[in-house]
Amino acid sequence: MNSKPFPAGLRRSFPSLLVLCLLGFVGGAPRLAGAILVEIKDGKGQPVADAVASLTPLDRTPVIKVPDEPAVIVQDNEEFSPVVTVVVVGGKVLIPNRDKVQHHVYSLSPAKRFDIPLYKGEMKEPVVFDRPGVVALGCNIHDWMAAYVVVLATPHFAKSAAAGNAQIGDLPPGRYRLEVWHQRITAPVVREVTVNSDPSTQVISVTLRELRQIRRAPETGGGAYR
């Protein structure tokens, strides 16, 4: 069999080319992302909606990218919607008033204290949530109005739907701290989980406090506890 030798210059560079190719193959090989489905149930096995599940990496520092667009909590029919909003640290939230009456929105939560005096219509500037924690919102005029902004120092989170499921995907392999928050549990549920390329499910059982809030009284416009 006839074969032609490599040119001398190529023979000299061949080992280096081989090493570079191997390094490129290894370094460029994708690390398959994983996913975790969090199923949140109460003590009776019923699904829990509006719970926030978050995963904080334990083997690396999370990279947080603040969205350019603010989240929106609308005031309509003298209620906040949605009741639970999740943002990362540095995230912005607009709270427009679409009602015919004025609202006075405030928060006394340590993670973010603010006060927006009586107003209607759109907000000129969003509220910036620059510290992690749970921020409870209220209205000084309508006591039954309540909402929560959950501020997280991780980009990996999801809010549970009516079926109690919260899916968190695009997760690099590694160890994570899983936390589940809900407005009616006394403290977040915390556990360590390991993520690999295979999807997994975490079932979280929580004990919910009795719902204790001010309800609207249509006849008088005032409120009463329920």
Side-chain angles (χ1 to χ4, degrees), residues 13-184:
S13 62
F14 182 75
S16 298
L17 290 172
L18 179 61
V19 171
L20 288 174
C21 289
L22 290 174
L23 287 175
F25 178 78
V26 174
R31 299 183 69 194
L32 297 178
I36 286 185
L37 175 65
V38 185
E39 296 182 356
I40 305 161
K41 302 178 180 181
D42 64 14
K44 298 179 180 179
Q46 297 301 306
V48 176
D50 281 340
V52 178
S54 64
L55 289 167
T56 303
L58 298 177
D59 303 322
R60 59 183 174 85
T61 301
V63 178
I64 298 176
K65 182 180 179 182
V66 179
D68 294 330
E69 295 297 320
V72 179
I73 302 174
V74 176
Q75 299 169 88
D76 188 25
N77 192 30
E78 298 178 2
E79 300 283 0
F80 289 114
S81 180
V83 174
V84 176
T85 299
V86 191
V87 299
V88 296
V89 173
K92 302 178 286 290
V93 178
L94 287 169
I95 315 173
N97 179 2
R98 307 278 167 80
D99 272 323
K100 296 180 180 179
V101 298
Q102 291 183 317
H103 292 300
H104 183 152
V105 180
Y106 72 97
S107 169
L108 299 177
S109 302
K112 186 67 179 183
R113 297 176 183 269
F114 66 90
D115 188 84
I116 309 174
L118 288 170
Y119 71 103
K120 286 199 303 183
E122 303 300 315
M123 296 177 64
K124 294 182 179 179
E125 297 290 338
V127 180
V128 179
F129 292 83
D130 46 13
R131 295 176 59 187
V134 178
V135 180
L137 277 58
C139 175
N140 262 333
I141 309 303
H142 308 95
D143 291 341
W144 60 84
M145 292 177 62
Y148 302 88
V149 178
V150 181
V151 189
L152 300 174
T154 176
H156 311 298
F157 61 83
K159 185 172 72 170
S160 63
N165 296 333
Q167 172 124 9
I168 308 174
D170 198 22
L171 296 166
R175 297 181 306 123
Y176 290 81
R177 181 176 70 252
L178 169 63
E179 293 190 31
V180 174
W181 171 91
H182 188 271
Q183 59 173 302
R184 289 173 58 196

Side-chain angles (χ1 to χ4, degrees), residues 162-214:
N165 296 333
Q167 172 124 9
I168 308 174
D170 198 22
L171 296 166
R175 297 181 306 123
Y176 290 81
R177 181 176 70 252
L178 169 63
E179 293 190 31
V180 174
W181 171 91
H182 188 271
Q183 59 173 302
R184 289 173 58 196
I185 61 177
T186 56
V189 177
V190 181
R191 68 173 61 165
E192 183 176 322
V193 298
T194 299
V195 173
N196 52 44
S197 58
D198 296 322
S200 63
T201 300
Q202 295 286 326
V203 179
I204 304 292
S205 179
V206 297
T207 300
L208 300 181
R209 296 191 303 259
E210 180 183 357
L211 183 62
R212 183 73 172 167
Q213 69 181 63
I214 297 174

